[in-house]
Amino acid sequence: MVNVKFFGIARLKFKEKEIQIEAGTVKELCQAIADRYSVPFKDVKQFLIYVNGVNIVDLKTFRTPLKDGDNLMFLSPSSGG
């Protein structure tokens, strides 16, 4: 199981602060979250996703492997000007 924490808009969208879920990759995790909350996959992958404090962009993006005990964070994408 991996630990998932939701922050900002993600917390409001999924109405959860933290969950545990089984997944082998970040893509599988996003699909499991989409299925669990009945939302489109694209709505899940819009968030900034960190695995053990590292942005998935700096890892293998959605192919990033997950193992038991990993900590993931879903953060709201930021914008500004």
Side-chain angles (χ1 to χ4, degrees):
M1 296 287 242
V2 295
N3 304 306
V4 181
K5 291 185 179 181
F6 299 111
F7 297 91
I9 293 172
R11 186 176 289 179
L12 295 173
K13 183 173 196 68
F14 303 120
K15 297 178 176 65
E16 300 266 11
K17 180 179 179 180
E18 186 173 353
I19 62 169
Q20 290 191 328
I21 200 160
E22 189 74 37
T25 65
V26 172
K27 183 177 181 178
E28 288 175 14
L29 178 113
C30 289
Q31 187 61 59
I33 290 172
D35 294 345
R36 182 175 181 159
Y37 297 102
S38 300
V39 297
F41 178 76
K42 68 179 181 67
D43 287 2
V44 178
K45 70 178 207 172
Q46 75 179 349
F47 295 102
L48 299 175
I49 304 169
Y50 285 76
V51 177
N52 299 323
V54 180
N55 191 320
I56 63 168
V57 172
D58 297 325
L59 299 169
K60 295 182 179 179
T61 59
F62 291 96
R63 294 185 319 266
T64 301
L66 301 174
K67 62 186 182 317
D68 282 350
D70 279 347
N71 294 298
L72 283 87
M73 296 185 299
F74 279 72
L75 305 164
S76 304
S78 60
S79 62

Coordinates of all heavy atoms in Angstrom, one line a residue:
M1 N 0.8 -1.2 0.0 CA 0.0 0.0 0.0 C 0.9 1.2 0.0 O 1.9 1.3 0.6 CB -0.9 0.0 1.2 CG -1.9 -1.1 1.3 SD -3.2 -0.9 0.2 CE -4.6 -0.7 1.2
V2 N 0.4 2.3 -0.7 CA 1.1 3.5 -0.7 C 0.2 4.5 0.0 O -1.0 4.4 0.0 CB 1.5 4.0 -2.1 CG1 2.5 3.1 -2.7 CG2 0.3 4.2 -3.0
N3 N 0.8 5.5 0.6 CA 0.1 6.6 1.3 C -0.1 7.8 0.4 O 0.9 8.2 -0.2 CB 0.9 7.0 2.6 CG 1.2 5.8 3.5 OD1 0.3 5.1 3.9 ND2 2.4 5.6 3.8
V4 N -1.3 8.3 0.3 CA -1.6 9.4 -0.6 C -2.2 10.5 0.3 O -3.2 10.3 1.0 CB -2.5 9.0 -1.7 CG1 -2.8 10.2 -2.6 CG2 -2.0 7.8 -2.5
K5 N -1.6 11.7 0.1 CA -2.2 12.9 0.8 C -2.6 13.9 -0.2 O -1.9 14.1 -1.3 CB -1.1 13.5 1.7 CG -0.8 12.7 2.9 CD 0.2 13.4 3.8 CE 0.5 12.6 5.0 NZ 1.4 13.2 6.0
F6 N -3.8 14.4 0.0 CA -4.4 15.4 -0.9 C -4.3 16.8 -0.3 O -4.6 17.0 0.9 CB -5.8 15.1 -1.2 CG -6.0 13.8 -1.9 CD1 -6.6 12.7 -1.2 CD2 -5.6 13.6 -3.2 CE1 -6.8 11.5 -1.8 CE2 -5.8 12.3 -3.8 CZ -6.4 11.3 -3.1
F7 N -3.9 17.8 -1.1 CA -3.8 19.2 -0.6 C -4.6 20.1 -1.5 O -4.7 19.8 -2.7 CB -2.3 19.6 -0.6 CG -1.5 18.8 0.4 CD1 -0.8 17.7 0.0 CD2 -1.4 19.2 1.7 CE1 0.0 17.0 0.9 CE2 -0.6 18.5 2.6 CZ 0.1 17.4 2.2
G8 N -5.0 21.2 -1.0 CA -5.7 22.3 -1.8 C -6.9 21.8 -2.5 O -7.8 21.1 -2.0
I9 N -7.0 22.0 -3.8 CA -8.1 21.7 -4.6 C -8.3 20.2 -4.7 O -9.4 19.7 -4.7 CB -8.0 22.3 -6.1 CG1 -8.1 23.8 -6.0 CG2 -9.1 21.7 -7.0 CD1 -7.8 24.5 -7.3
A10 N -7.2 19.4 -4.7 CA -7.3 18.0 -4.7 C -8.1 17.5 -3.5 O -8.9 16.6 -3.5 CB -5.9 17.3 -4.7
R11 N -7.8 18.1 -2.3 CA -8.5 17.7 -1.1 C -10.0 18.0 -1.2 O -10.9 17.2 -0.8 CB -7.9 18.4 0.1 CG -8.6 18.0 1.4 CD -7.9 18.6 2.6 NE -6.6 18.1 2.8 CZ -5.8 18.5 3.8 NH1 -6.1 19.4 4.6 NH2 -4.6 17.9 3.9
L12 N -10.3 19.1 -1.8 CA -11.7 19.5 -2.0 C -12.4 18.6 -3.0 O -13.6 18.2 -2.8 CB -11.9 21.0 -2.5 CG -11.4 22.0 -1.5 CD1 -11.4 23.4 -2.2 CD2 -12.2 22.0 -0.3
K13 N -11.7 18.2 -4.1 CA -12.3 17.4 -5.1 C -12.6 16.0 -4.6 O -13.6 15.4 -4.9 CB -11.3 17.3 -6.3 CG -11.9 16.5 -7.5 CD -11.0 16.7 -8.7 CE -11.6 16.3 -10.0 NZ -12.7 17.1 -10.4
F14 N -11.6 15.4 -3.9 CA -11.8 14.0 -3.5 C -12.4 13.9 -2.1 O -12.7 12.8 -1.6 CB -10.4 13.3 -3.6 CG -9.9 13.3 -5.0 CD1 -8.6 13.9 -5.2 CD2 -10.5 12.8 -6.0 CE1 -8.1 14.0 -6.5 CE2 -10.0 12.9 -7.3 CZ -8.8 13.5 -7.5
K15 N -12.5 15.0 -1.4 CA -13.1 15.0 -0.1 C -12.4 14.1 0.9 O -13.1 13.4 1.7 CB -14.6 14.7 -0.1 CG -15.4 15.8 -0.9 CD -16.9 15.4 -1.0 CE -17.7 16.4 -1.7 NZ -17.4 16.7 -3.1
E16 N -11.1 14.0 0.8 CA -10.3 13.2 1.6 C -9.0 14.0 1.9 O -8.5 14.7 1.1 CB -9.9 11.9 0.9 CG -11.0 11.0 0.5 CD -11.3 9.9 1.5 OE1 -10.8 10.0 2.6 OE2 -12.1 9.0 1.1
K17 N -8.5 13.7 3.1 CA -7.2 14.3 3.4 C -6.1 13.3 3.1 O -5.0 13.7 2.6 CB -7.2 14.6 4.9 CG -5.9 15.2 5.4 CD -5.9 15.5 6.9 CE -4.6 16.1 7.4 NZ -4.6 16.4 8.8
E18 N -6.3 12.0 3.4 CA -5.3 11.0 3.2 C -6.0 9.6 3.0 O -7.0 9.3 3.6 CB -4.4 10.9 4.4 CG -3.2 10.0 4.3 CD -2.3 10.2 5.6 OE1 -2.5 11.1 6.4 OE2 -1.4 9.4 5.6
I19 N -5.4 8.8 2.0 CA -5.9 7.5 1.8 C -4.7 6.6 1.6 O -3.5 7.0 1.4 CB -6.8 7.4 0.6 CG1 -6.0 7.8 -0.7 CG2 -8.0 8.2 0.7 CD1 -6.7 7.4 -2.0
Q20 N -4.9 5.3 1.7 CA -3.9 4.3 1.4 C -4.5 3.4 0.2 O -5.7 3.1 0.2 CB -3.6 3.4 2.5 CG -2.8 4.0 3.6 CD -2.3 3.1 4.6 OE1 -2.9 2.0 4.9 NE2 -1.1 3.4 5.2
I21 N -3.7 3.1 -0.8 CA -4.1 2.5 -2.0 C -3.0 1.6 -2.5 O -1.9 1.8 -2.3 CB -4.6 3.5 -3.0 CG1 -5.6 2.9 -4.0 CG2 -3.5 4.3 -3.6 CD1 -6.4 4.0 -4.7
E22 N -3.4 0.5 -3.2 CA -2.5 -0.4 -3.8 C -2.3 0.0 -5.3 O -3.2 0.2 -6.0 CB -3.0 -1.8 -3.7 CG -2.1 -2.9 -4.1 CD -1.0 -3.2 -3.0 OE1 -1.3 -3.1 -1.8 OE2 0.1 -3.4 -3.4
A23 N -1.0 0.2 -5.7 CA -0.7 0.5 -7.1 C 0.8 0.2 -7.3 O 1.6 0.4 -6.4 CB -1.0 1.9 -7.4
G24 N 1.1 -0.2 -8.6 CA 2.5 -0.5 -8.9 C 3.2 0.7 -9.6 O 4.5 0.7 -9.6
T25 N 2.5 1.6 -10.2 CA 3.0 2.8 -10.8 C 2.2 4.0 -10.5 O 1.0 3.8 -10.1 CB 3.1 2.6 -12.4 OG1 1.8 2.5 -12.9 CG2 3.9 1.4 -12.8
V26 N 2.7 5.2 -10.8 CA 1.9 6.4 -10.6 C 0.6 6.4 -11.5 O -0.4 6.7 -11.1 CB 2.7 7.6 -10.9 CG1 1.9 8.9 -10.8 CG2 3.8 7.7 -9.8
K27 N 0.8 5.8 -12.7 CA -0.4 5.8 -13.6 C -1.4 4.9 -13.1 O -2.6 5.2 -13.1 CB 0.1 5.3 -15.0 CG -1.1 5.2 -16.0 CD -0.6 4.8 -17.4 CE -1.8 4.8 -18.4 NZ -1.4 4.4 -19.7
E28 N -1.0 3.7 -12.5 CA -2.0 2.8 -11.9 C -2.7 3.4 -10.7 O -3.9 3.3 -10.5 CB -1.3 1.5 -11.5 CG -0.9 0.6 -12.6 CD -0.1 -0.6 -12.1 OE1 -0.2 -0.9 -10.9 OE2 0.5 -1.3 -12.9
L29 N -1.9 4.2 -10.0 CA -2.5 4.9 -8.8 C -3.5 5.9 -9.2 O -4.6 6.0 -8.7 CB -1.4 5.6 -8.0 CG -1.9 6.3 -6.8 CD1 -1.5 5.7 -5.5 CD2 -1.4 7.8 -6.9
C30 N -3.2 6.7 -10.3 CA -4.1 7.7 -10.8 C -5.4 7.1 -11.3 O -6.5 7.6 -11.1 CB -3.5 8.6 -11.9 SG -2.2 9.7 -11.2
Q31 N -5.3 5.9 -12.0 CA -6.4 5.3 -12.5 C -7.3 4.7 -11.3 O -8.5 4.8 -11.4 CB -6.1 4.1 -13.4 CG -7.2 3.5 -14.1 CD -8.0 4.5 -15.0 OE1 -7.5 5.0 -15.9 NE2 -9.3 4.7 -14.7
A32 N -6.6 4.2 -10.3 CA -7.4 3.7 -9.1 C -8.1 4.8 -8.4 O -9.3 4.6 -8.0 CB -6.4 3.0 -8.2
I33 N -7.5 6.0 -8.4 CA -8.2 7.1 -7.7 C -9.3 7.6 -8.6 O -10.4 7.9 -8.1 CB -7.2 8.3 -7.5 CG1 -6.2 7.9 -6.4 CG2 -7.9 9.6 -7.2 CD1 -5.0 8.8 -6.2
A34 N -9.1 7.6 -9.9 CA -10.2 8.0 -10.8 C -11.4 7.0 -10.7 O -12.6 7.5 -10.6 CB -9.7 8.0 -12.3
D35 N -11.1 5.7 -10.6 CA -12.2 4.7 -10.4 C -12.9 4.9 -9.1 O -14.1 4.8 -9.0 CB -11.6 3.3 -10.6 CG -11.1 3.0 -12.0 OD1 -11.5 3.8 -12.9 OD2 -10.4 2.0 -12.1
R36 N -12.1 5.1 -8.0 CA -12.6 5.1 -6.7 C -13.6 6.3 -6.5 O -14.6 6.2 -5.8 CB -11.4 5.3 -5.7 CG -11.8 5.3 -4.2 CD -10.6 5.3 -3.4 NE -10.9 5.3 -2.0 CZ -10.1 4.9 -1.0 NH1 -8.9 4.5 -1.3 NH2 -10.5 5.0 0.2
Y37 N -13.2 7.5 -7.1 CA -14.0 8.7 -6.9 C -14.9 9.0 -8.1 O -15.5 10.1 -8.2 CB -13.1 9.9 -6.6 CG -12.4 9.6 -5.3 CD1 -11.1 9.2 -5.3 CD2 -13.1 9.8 -4.1 CE1 -10.4 9.0 -4.1 CE2 -12.4 9.6 -2.9 CZ -11.1 9.2 -2.9 OH -10.4 8.9 -1.7
S38 N -15.0 8.1 -9.1 CA -15.8 8.3 -10.3 C -15.5 9.6 -11.0 O -16.5 10.4 -11.3 CB -17.3 8.1 -9.9 OG -17.5 6.9 -9.4
V39 N -14.3 9.9 -11.3 CA -13.9 11.1 -12.0 C -13.0 10.6 -13.2 O -12.4 9.6 -13.2 CB -13.1 12.1 -11.1 CG1 -13.9 12.6 -10.0 CG2 -11.8 11.5 -10.6
P40 N -13.0 11.5 -14.2 CA -12.1 11.1 -15.4 C -10.7 11.1 -15.0 O -10.2 11.8 -14.2 CB -12.4 12.3 -16.4 CG -13.7 12.9 -16.0 CD -13.8 12.7 -14.5
F41 N -9.9 10.2 -15.7 CA -8.5 10.0 -15.4 C -7.8 11.4 -15.6 O -6.9 11.7 -14.8 CB -7.9 9.0 -16.4 CG -6.4 8.8 -16.2 CD1 -5.9 8.0 -15.2 CD2 -5.6 9.3 -17.2 CE1 -4.5 7.8 -15.1 CE2 -4.2 9.1 -17.1 CZ -3.7 8.4 -16.0
K42 N -8.1 12.1 -16.6 CA -7.5 13.4 -16.9 C -7.6 14.4 -15.7 O -6.8 15.2 -15.5 CB -8.0 14.0 -18.2 CG -9.4 14.5 -18.2 CD -9.8 15.1 -19.5 CE -11.2 15.6 -19.5 NZ -11.5 16.7 -18.6
D43 N -8.7 14.3 -15.0 CA -8.9 15.1 -13.8 C -8.0 14.8 -12.7 O -7.6 15.6 -11.9 CB -10.4 15.0 -13.3 CG -11.4 15.7 -14.2 OD1 -11.0 16.3 -15.2 OD2 -12.6 15.7 -13.8
V44 N -7.6 13.5 -12.6 CA -6.6 13.1 -11.5 C -5.2 13.5 -11.9 O -4.5 14.0 -11.1 CB -6.7 11.6 -11.3 CG1 -5.7 11.2 -10.3 CG2 -8.1 11.2 -10.9
K45 N -4.8 13.3 -13.2 CA -3.4 13.6 -13.5 C -3.1 15.1 -13.7 O -2.0 15.4 -14.0 CB -3.0 12.8 -14.8 CG -3.7 13.1 -16.1 CD -3.1 12.3 -17.2 CE -3.2 13.0 -18.5 NZ -2.5 12.3 -19.5
Q46 N -4.1 16.0 -13.6 CA -3.9 17.4 -13.7 C -3.1 18.0 -12.5 O -2.5 19.0 -12.6 CB -5.2 18.2 -13.8 CG -6.0 18.3 -12.5 CD -7.2 19.0 -12.6 OE1 -7.5 19.7 -13.7 NE2 -8.1 19.0 -11.6
F47 N -3.1 17.2 -11.4 CA -2.4 17.7 -10.2 C -0.9 17.5 -10.3 O -0.4 16.7 -11.0 CB -3.0 17.0 -9.0 CG -4.4 17.3 -8.7 CD1 -5.4 16.4 -9.1 CD2 -4.8 18.6 -8.2 CE1 -6.8 16.7 -8.9 CE2 -6.1 18.9 -8.0 CZ -7.1 18.0 -8.4
L48 N -0.2 18.3 -9.5 CA 1.2 18.1 -9.3 C 1.4 16.9 -8.4 O 0.7 16.8 -7.3 CB 1.9 19.3 -8.6 CG 1.8 20.6 -9.4 CD1 2.4 21.7 -8.6 CD2 2.6 20.5 -10.7
I49 N 2.1 15.9 -8.8 CA 2.2 14.7 -8.0 C 3.7 14.5 -7.5 O 4.6 14.5 -8.4 CB 1.8 13.4 -8.8 CG1 0.3 13.7 -9.3 CG2 1.9 12.2 -8.0 CD1 -0.1 12.7 -10.4
Y50 N 3.9 14.3 -6.3 CA 5.2 14.0 -5.7 C 5.2 12.6 -5.1 O 4.3 12.2 -4.4 CB 5.5 15.1 -4.6 CG 5.8 16.4 -5.2 CD1 4.8 17.3 -5.7 CD2 7.1 16.9 -5.2 CE1 5.1 18.5 -6.2 CE2 7.4 18.1 -5.7 CZ 6.4 18.9 -6.2 OH 6.7 20.2 -6.7
V51 N 6.3 11.9 -5.3 CA 6.6 10.6 -4.7 C 7.8 10.8 -3.8 O 8.9 11.2 -4.2 CB 6.9 9.6 -5.8 CG1 7.2 8.2 -5.2 CG2 5.7 9.4 -6.8
N52 N 7.5 10.6 -2.5 CA 8.6 10.7 -1.5 C 9.3 12.0 -1.6 O 10.5 12.1 -1.6 CB 9.6 9.5 -1.6 CG 8.9 8.2 -1.4 OD1 8.0 8.1 -0.5 ND2 9.3 7.2 -2.1
G53 N 8.5 13.1 -1.9 CA 9.1 14.4 -1.9 C 9.7 14.9 -3.2 O 10.2 16.0 -3.3
V54 N 9.6 14.0 -4.3 CA 10.2 14.4 -5.6 C 9.1 14.4 -6.6 O 8.3 13.5 -6.7 CB 11.3 13.3 -6.0 CG1 11.8 13.7 -7.3 CG2 12.3 13.2 -4.9
N55 N 9.0 15.5 -7.4 CA 8.0 15.7 -8.4 C 8.2 14.5 -9.5 O 9.4 14.2 -9.9 CB 8.2 17.0 -9.1 CG 7.1 17.4 -10.0 OD1 6.5 16.6 -10.8 ND2 6.7 18.6 -10.0
I56 N 7.1 13.9 -9.9 CA 7.2 12.8 -10.8 C 7.9 13.3 -12.2 O 8.4 12.4 -12.9 CB 5.9 12.1 -11.1 CG1 4.8 13.1 -11.8 CG2 5.3 11.5 -9.8 CD1 3.6 12.4 -12.3
V57 N 7.8 14.6 -12.5 CA 8.5 15.1 -13.7 C 10.0 14.8 -13.6 O 10.7 14.6 -14.6 CB 8.2 16.6 -13.8 CG1 9.1 17.2 -14.9 CG2 6.8 16.8 -14.1
D58 N 10.6 14.8 -12.4 CA 12.0 14.5 -12.2 C 12.3 13.0 -12.0 O 13.4 12.6 -11.9 CB 12.5 15.3 -11.0 CG 12.4 16.8 -11.1 OD1 12.6 17.3 -12.2 OD2 12.1 17.4 -10.1
L59 N 11.2 12.2 -12.1 CA 11.4 10.8 -12.0 C 11.0 10.2 -13.4 O 11.6 10.6 -14.4 CB 10.5 10.2 -10.9 CG 10.8 10.7 -9.5 CD1 9.7 10.3 -8.5 CD2 12.2 10.2 -9.0
K60 N 10.1 9.2 -13.4 CA 9.7 8.6 -14.7 C 8.3 9.0 -15.0 O 7.5 8.2 -15.6 CB 9.9 7.1 -14.7 CG 11.3 6.7 -14.6 CD 11.5 5.2 -14.6 CE 12.9 4.8 -14.5 NZ 13.1 3.3 -14.5
T61 N 7.9 10.2 -14.6 CA 6.5 10.7 -14.8 C 5.5 9.6 -14.3 O 5.6 9.1 -13.3 CB 6.2 11.2 -16.2 OG1 6.4 10.2 -17.2 CG2 7.0 12.5 -16.5
F62 N 4.5 9.3 -15.2 CA 3.5 8.3 -14.8 C 4.0 6.9 -14.8 O 3.2 6.0 -14.4 CB 2.2 8.5 -15.7 CG 1.6 9.8 -15.4 CD1 1.8 10.9 -16.2 CD2 0.7 9.9 -14.3 CE1 1.2 12.1 -15.9 CE2 0.1 11.2 -14.0 CZ 0.4 12.3 -14.8
R63 N 5.2 6.6 -15.3 CA 5.7 5.3 -15.3 C 6.6 5.0 -14.0 O 7.2 4.0 -13.8 CB 6.6 5.0 -16.5 CG 5.8 5.0 -17.8 CD 6.7 4.7 -19.0 NE 8.0 5.3 -19.0 CZ 8.4 6.5 -19.5 NH1 7.4 7.1 -20.2 NH2 9.6 7.0 -19.5
T64 N 6.6 6.0 -13.1 CA 7.4 5.9 -11.9 C 6.8 4.7 -11.1 O 5.7 4.6 -10.7 CB 7.2 7.2 -11.0 OG1 7.7 8.3 -11.8 CG2 8.0 7.1 -9.7
P65 N 7.7 3.8 -10.7 CA 7.3 2.6 -10.0 C 7.0 3.0 -8.5 O 7.7 3.9 -8.0 CB 8.5 1.6 -10.1 CG 9.7 2.5 -10.4 CD 9.1 3.7 -11.1
L66 N 6.1 2.3 -7.9 CA 5.7 2.6 -6.5 C 6.0 1.3 -5.7 O 5.8 0.2 -6.2 CB 4.3 3.0 -6.4 CG 3.9 4.3 -7.1 CD1 2.4 4.5 -7.0 CD2 4.7 5.5 -6.6
K67 N 6.3 1.4 -4.4 CA 6.5 0.3 -3.6 C 5.8 0.6 -2.2 O 5.5 1.7 -1.9 CB 8.0 0.0 -3.3 CG 8.8 1.1 -2.7 CD 10.2 0.7 -2.6 CE 11.1 1.7 -2.0 NZ 10.9 3.1 -2.2
D68 N 5.5 -0.5 -1.5 CA 4.9 -0.4 -0.2 C 5.6 0.7 0.7 O 6.8 0.7 0.7 CB 4.9 -1.7 0.6 CG 3.8 -2.6 0.1 OD1 3.0 -2.2 -0.8 OD2 3.8 -3.8 0.5
G69 N 4.7 1.6 1.3 CA 5.3 2.6 2.1 C 5.6 3.9 1.5 O 6.0 4.9 2.2
D70 N 5.6 4.0 0.1 CA 5.8 5.2 -0.5 C 4.8 6.3 -0.1 O 3.6 5.9 0.2 CB 5.8 5.1 -2.1 CG 7.1 4.5 -2.6 OD1 8.1 4.5 -1.9 OD2 7.1 4.1 -3.8
N71 N 5.2 7.5 -0.1 CA 4.3 8.6 0.2 C 4.1 9.5 -1.0 O 5.1 10.0 -1.6 CB 4.9 9.5 1.4 CG 5.0 8.7 2.7 OD1 4.0 8.2 3.2 ND2 6.2 8.4 3.2
L72 N 2.9 9.7 -1.4 CA 2.6 10.5 -2.5 C 1.8 11.8 -2.0 O 1.0 11.6 -1.1 CB 1.8 9.8 -3.5 CG 2.6 8.8 -4.4 CD1 2.7 7.5 -3.7 CD2 2.0 8.7 -5.8
M73 N 2.0 12.9 -2.7 CA 1.2 14.1 -2.5 C 0.6 14.6 -3.8 O 1.3 14.6 -4.8 CB 2.1 15.2 -1.9 CG 2.7 14.9 -0.6 SD 3.7 16.2 0.1 CE 4.9 16.5 -1.1
F74 N -0.6 14.9 -3.7 CA -1.3 15.6 -4.8 C -1.5 17.0 -4.5 O -2.3 17.3 -3.5 CB -2.7 14.9 -5.1 CG -2.6 13.6 -5.9 CD1 -2.0 12.5 -5.3 CD2 -3.0 13.6 -7.2 CE1 -1.9 11.3 -6.0 CE2 -2.9 12.4 -7.9 CZ -2.3 11.2 -7.4
L75 N -0.9 17.9 -5.2 CA -1.0 19.3 -5.0 C -1.7 20.1 -6.1 O -1.6 19.6 -7.3 CB 0.4 19.9 -4.8 CG 1.3 19.2 -3.7 CD1 2.7 19.6 -3.9 CD2 0.8 19.7 -2.3
S76 N -2.3 21.2 -5.8 CA -2.9 22.0 -6.8 C -1.9 22.6 -7.7 O -0.9 23.1 -7.2 CB -3.8 23.1 -6.2 OG -4.7 22.5 -5.3
P77 N -2.1 22.6 -9.0 CA -1.2 23.3 -9.9 C -1.3 24.8 -9.6 O -2.4 25.3 -9.3 CB -1.7 23.0 -11.3 CG -3.0 22.3 -11.2 CD -3.2 21.9 -9.7
S78 N -0.2 25.5 -9.7 CA -0.3 26.9 -9.3 C -0.2 27.7 -10.6 O 0.2 27.3 -11.7 CB 0.9 27.3 -8.4 OG 2.1 27.1 -9.1
S79 N -0.8 28.9 -10.5 CA -0.7 29.9 -11.6 C -0.5 31.3 -11.0 O -0.8 31.5 -9.9 CB -1.9 29.8 -12.5 OG -3.1 30.2 -11.7
G80 N 0.0 32.1 -11.8 CA 0.2 33.5 -11.3 C 0.5 34.4 -12.4 O 0.5 34.0 -13.6
G81 N 0.8 35.6 -12.0 CA 1.1 36.5 -13.1 C 1.6 37.8 -12.6 O 1.8 38.2 -11.6

